[in-house]
Amino acid sequence: MGTAKKMKSALISVFHKDGLEAIVKKLNDLNITIYSTGGTEKFITNLGIDVVPVEDLTSYPSILGGRVKTLHPKVFGGILSRRDHEGDIAQLNEYEIPEIDIVIVDLYPFEKTVASDASEQEIIEKIDIGGISLIRAAAKNFKDVICVSSMKQYDEFLNILSDNDGKISLADRKNFAAKSFAVSSHYDTAIFKYLNQDFNHVELRESFDHSSTLRYGENPHQKGFFFGKLDELFEKLHGKELSYNNLLDVDAAVQLMNEFKTDAPTFAILKHNNACGIAQRETLHQAYVDALAGDPISAFGGVLISNKKIDIATAEEIHKLFCEVVIAPAYDDEALKILKGKKNRIILIQNDIELPKASFRTALNGVLSQEKDTITDDITNQKHTTNMHPTQTKLEEL
């Protein structure tokens, strides 16, 4: 576990106050001195708990509309000082800088502000400066300091604090430091991607702060993970967990059906990332029957996807086939009952959200990236390169 250290002081500066009350009360119970500023300071004061305003520590007020509050040597000196370094200790004493053992930060919600269609000025104001600086400083000095860098970490931190009577091991401090740099790197990536929308800086910056551990990768001896918010795209109604190979097929299915999202009833069956069959007909039932006819043998164990609500007639046909996954925008109640007849069959509702505009994959010792192919073939833009031209009926079928 490494050296456990008794925590004596904490600096708290958070945007979201949810879940903070229990931590503040535990810090108070452990006689840990609390420093804070702005809205967080008011929150702690309203709990009836003593708190030292950062302005009292720095002898400097919050300025520039709150843009500069904690950016001060008396704050960062207390965080970055090496407790086993004689020179650092001497300077802390010389300049009357208190050691800060715990830093709790929750950054301004930059990504949520971008997603809310706020103005550019509102978005820029949500680029956190003091908070991100506190995170980097505290995480760098994990040998002496623990950094709680997101409200998602509150419960874990509170348990550690409570279980060990205010002592925190080096292993825990280092673990939280790793989490902190994950938070800061994700935050900076989001800012870069926002600012780079109107320019052409060819830099690959992708970051996902949600992950799922899969049963295994392509084969049982391989580890597998999915990074992203899958629950934003799908509502799972039934069945086992999606596997690595399922997700590859589901991705291919979603990308294919995206071309027919608003078209007449269309059904596709995919296996190993390829379409076994796809058909567009006047009814969904007929579209499924004809899609299955494309390759009924390969369809076994495949992924099925529809661009319309699945009705009873279609569900009865689907139920005759062993399939891993069924995807649709909706299901009739009776159709859903039929499809749930197979315990492991995965049934998904696909939500109408915008898909990424670019794709990337590892290749050799790097990454390949390209824009998604969003151009759907159209009768009007076909070129006939032979003397014999297809009929209008054949063109429509194609």
Side-chain angles (χ1 to χ4, degrees):
M1 289 290 289
T3 305
K5 178 184 173 183
K6 180 72 173 178
M7 301 287 113
K8 298 178 181 178
S9 59
L11 172 63
I12 309 176
S13 179
V14 301
F15 184 85
H16 293 103
K17 313 300 187 293
D18 299 343
L20 186 62
E21 181 176 345
I23 291 176
V24 171
K25 288 181 175 178
K26 175 54 66 173
L27 293 173
N28 186 59
D29 291 345
L30 293 168
N31 294 316
I32 293 173
T33 302
I34 301 174
Y35 298 93
S36 192
T37 186
T40 309
E41 179 198 335
K42 292 178 183 176
F43 175 83
I44 297 170
T45 299
N46 289 338
L47 293 175
I49 291 173
D50 290 339
V51 56
V52 179
V54 167
E55 291 83 357
D56 288 359
L57 174 62
T58 63
S59 299
Y60 223 90
S62 172
I63 61 172
L64 306 182
R67 282 189 166 197
V68 180
K69 291 182 284 192
T70 56
L71 296 167
H72 194 281
K74 281 205 170 183
V75 173
F76 282 85
I79 295 169
L80 286 164
S81 63
R82 294 159 289 186
R83 300 343 188 225
D84 59 356
H85 190 283
E86 289 185 9
D88 285 7
I89 299 302
Q91 286 192 318
L92 291 186
N93 291 330
E94 179 182 357
Y95 297 108
E96 299 180 336
I97 300 174
E99 294 177 354
I100 296 174
D101 302 319
I102 301 169
V103 173
I104 302 175
V105 176
D106 185 65
L107 299 171
Y108 292 161
F110 179 80
E111 288 178 282
K112 285 185 178 179
T113 307
V114 172
S116 71
D117 293 325
S119 68
E120 182 176 87
Q121 186 55 42
E122 289 173 314
I123 291 170
I124 295 303
E125 287 304 319
K126 285 297 184 287
I127 297 178
D128 206 310
I129 303 301
I132 208 79
S133 302
L134 290 170
I135 287 173
R136 292 180 62 84
K140 174 179 178 175
N141 201 24
F142 66 84
K143 187 176 178 183
D144 295 300
V145 179
I146 186 166
C147 181
V148 182
S149 53
S150 166
M151 65 183 296
K152 296 175 185 176
Q153 301 163 17
Y154 286 178
D155 288 344
E156 183 182 0
F157 172 69
L158 181 58
N159 289 336
I160 292 171
L161 202 62
S162 302
D163 293 345
N164 300 288
D165 197 30
K167 293 181 180 179
I168 299 179
S169 70
L170 178 60
D172 284 330
R173 299 196 300 269
K174 191 172 184 178
N175 180 33
F176 272 75
K179 295 174 187 282
S180 297
F181 282 111
V183 168
S184 66
S185 63
H186 178 80
Y187 199 77
D188 285 343
T189 296
I191 295 168
F192 166 75
K193 291 178 74 173
Y194 170 74
L195 294 175
N196 194 40
Q197 291 178 100
D198 299 327
F199 301 98
N200 193 28
H201 299 301
V202 185
E203 304 279 349
L204 179 61
R205 297 287 187 275
E206 292 294 336
S207 179
F208 302 93
D209 61 353
H210 287 73
S211 65
S212 304
T213 301
L214 306 175
R215 295 197 302 275
Y216 50 81
E218 186 174 359
N219 298 294
H221 63 274
Q222 295 171 275
K223 291 182 179 179
F225 305 90
F226 177 81
F227 297 94
K229 298 178 181 178
L230 203 58
D231 57 353
E232 287 187 355
L233 182 57
F234 297 118
E235 179 186 349
K236 183 182 168 191
L237 303 179
H238 183 74
K240 61 185 180 180
E241 294 302 314
L242 286 161
S243 70
Y244 182 93
N245 292 321
N246 286 154
L247 287 167
L248 289 176
D249 282 342
V250 166
D251 176 65
V254 167
Q255 301 299 338
L256 174 59
M257 195 55 69
N258 197 44
E259 296 189 34
F260 304 95
K261 209 158 72 168
T262 59
D263 286 11
T266 307
F267 213 104
I269 304 171
L270 291 91
K271 183 79 171 286
H272 303 316
N273 306 332
N274 291 304
C276 309
I278 181 168
Q280 187 174 92
R281 296 293 183 262
E282 290 185 4
T283 67
L284 191 65
H285 173 265
Q286 194 59 48
Y288 169 74
V289 170
D290 289 353
L292 180 62
D295 188 346
I297 294 174
S298 295
F300 183 85
V303 169
L304 282 56
I305 187 166
S306 164
N307 70 341
K308 303 294 182 186
K309 178 191 281 190
I310 291 182
D311 54 28
I312 297 175
T314 309
E316 288 174 339
E317 288 295 334
I318 291 172
H319 196 56
K320 298 174 185 176
L321 175 74
F322 170 74
C323 57
E324 289 274 346
V325 185
V326 182
I327 307 166
Y331 301 82
D332 283 338
D333 290 342
E334 290 303 316
L336 191 56
K337 287 180 182 177
I338 294 168
L339 294 174
K340 284 183 176 180
K342 294 288 175 68
K343 182 176 73 172
N344 290 327
R345 179 184 284 149
I346 300 166
I347 304 174
L348 303 174
I349 288 179
Q350 182 180 343
N351 299 320
D352 187 17
I353 68 169
E354 186 178 359
L355 298 171
K357 296 177 181 177
S359 64
F360 57 94
R361 57 175 293 174
T362 56
L364 303 175
N365 62 339
V367 174
L368 280 170
S369 179
Q370 66 173 352
E371 294 177 334
K372 290 278 184 71
D373 182 0
T374 56
I375 298 176
T376 301
D377 289 334
D378 183 287
I379 289 177
T380 60
N381 62 15
Q382 301 304 308
K383 292 181 180 179
H384 305 296
T385 58
T386 60
N387 292 330
M388 183 180 291
H389 293 182
T391 64
Q392 185 68 19
T393 300
K394 288 293 182 186
L395 280 173
E396 289 172 0
E397 283 291 326
L398 288 168

